[in-house]
Amino acid sequence: MKTVLITGSTSGIGLGIAKEFAKTKQYNIIFNGLETNGPEIANNIGKEYGIAVMYSNANMLNPAELRTMVSDGIAKFGKIDVLVNNAGIQHVSPIDEFPDEKWAAIIGINLSSAFYLSKAVWPGMKERKFGRIINIASAHGLVASEFKSAYVASKHGIVGFTKTLALEGAPFNITCNAICPGYVKTPLVEKQIADQAKAHNLSESEVVSKVMLLKQAVKEFVPVETLGQLAVFLASEAASTMTGTALPVDGGWNAQ
Ligand code: NAD
């Protein structure tokens, strides 16, 4: 059995990714997230798919908690083979009104946590000559949208971080790739629909059609299953020469 640690896996995309890893029955899963029913979510998936699970409520803003989550995971499962840096938050606001504390939280959660966690799993991956790091970036890792300065900076940052780890990991069979989703209907986006409506002075349904899906050629939200299956592929032996990529799964947004 391999072990995968997925941050922010008790909601949205992270939970969808966890389910796809669970379906393969080839992974122990370390769940993480701030949802209060996190232990229950993890245990239910463990029972449903007959796999071993662990849950940690480590806060992405606390490097010591992140290191403890990794060492607890290694103590329980012996190793961590795959790290999925997925936890993330958003805040939508014009730059002149953008709260300083939101900037710091977005950079901390969306970008710096990936640094601390990658650093913590790296020595074991290097020693065993196998590792897969998958960063959930965003279409906003490749292009910008107005009112999302911190988010776009964090996601462009993680794409650069991905390329660097790919180069450093190559001699040790450690790959690092970024998945760049378009819009996925999760709690993060549901909150954004409301925030964007305020920023653009539109109704919520107008935000979905005129702002969000406007940039996607395929006028549909991206299913979490698509992202989960791509993550499982990137974690596989078959993907060993695929590294340093930033893969858009964005309904053609980046084709324009
Ligand atoms: P979500 O709000 O459904 O889930 C976010 C998860 O991160 C939750 O489990 C939450 O508890 C966890 N989290 C947030 N802050 C944390 C902290 N300080 N410490 C520990 N955990 C924390 O959001 P989602 O839409 O599933 O987003 C997941 C990732 O996908 C994010 O990085 C997001 O930027 C990215 N993404 C989302 C979309 C989209 O349209 N939903 C598009 C592109 C990229």
Side-chain angles (χ1 to χ4, degrees):
M1 288 291 273
K2 285 196 160 76
T3 299
V4 56
L5 188 167
I6 309 166
T7 67
S9 45
T10 47
S11 175
I13 295 173
L15 181 56
I17 292 173
K19 285 183 181 160
E20 296 302 323
F21 274 100
K23 279 183 199 166
T24 70
K25 298 185 194 268
Q26 284 166 24
Y27 292 89
N28 308 308
I29 303 181
I30 303 168
F31 284 84
N32 159 264
L34 299 182
E35 284 65 32
T36 49
N37 60 342
E40 201 184 320
I41 292 172
N43 288 332
N44 286 345
I45 291 182
K47 272 189 215 136
E48 187 178 346
Y49 296 97
I51 54 164
V53 299
M54 197 187 109
Y55 165 76
S56 161
N57 66 355
N59 193 312
M60 294 297 122
L61 291 169
N62 186 327
E65 288 183 17
L66 298 180
R67 286 189 281 269
T68 302
M69 171 167 67
V70 168
S71 56
D72 288 352
I74 293 172
K76 188 169 165 74
F77 296 124
K79 59 192 171 71
I80 294 172
D81 305 283
V82 182
L83 167 66
V84 182
N85 291 306
N86 164 76
I89 59 165
Q90 172 64 286
H91 183 79
V92 180
S93 164
I95 183 70
D96 50 339
E97 293 164 18
F98 210 97
D100 293 354
E101 59 280 9
K102 288 282 182 197
W103 171 272
I106 289 173
I107 299 298
I109 295 168
N110 296 11
L111 179 59
S112 304
S113 70
F115 162 74
Y116 292 115
L117 285 167
S118 302
K119 187 176 167 184
V121 298
W122 197 264
M125 290 181 171
K126 201 167 149 181
E127 197 186 309
R128 288 187 308 279
K129 288 224 168 0
F130 182 90
R132 297 284 188 264
I133 297 177
I134 300 162
N135 296 320
I136 306 307
S138 166
H140 284 121
L142 304 168
V143 286
S145 293
E146 63 276 59
F147 310 133
K148 295 186 177 177
S149 52
Y151 188 83
V152 170
S154 73
K155 296 300 186 181
H156 275 66
I158 200 139
V159 167
F161 181 62
T162 301
K163 293 177 185 175
T164 308
L165 292 198
L167 300 182
E168 291 187 32
F172 311 107
N173 190 26
I174 302 172
T175 68
C176 184
N177 291 284
I179 297 177
C180 300
Y183 283 101
V184 188
K185 203 138 195 269
T186 66
L188 179 143
V189 158
E190 276 160 9
K191 178 179 178 298
Q192 229 186 104
I193 294 174
D195 291 350
Q196 289 265 26
K198 223 167 104 190
H200 291 275
N201 203 14
L202 294 170
S203 75
E204 295 198 2
S205 65
E206 283 173 323
V207 166
V208 171
S209 59
K210 294 190 178 162
V211 181
M212 288 191 161
L213 300 183
L214 178 73
K215 291 177 179 171
Q216 293 190 195
V218 179
K219 304 286 178 199
E220 281 168 36
F221 285 104
V222 176
V224 290
E225 291 78 6
T226 305
L227 304 172
Q229 286 168 23
L230 179 55
V232 168
F233 173 72
L234 289 172
S236 72
E237 294 288 349
S240 63
T241 52
M242 198 168 167
T243 195
T245 67
L247 298 162
V249 186
D250 63 359
W253 180 345
N254 271 279
Q256 297 171 64

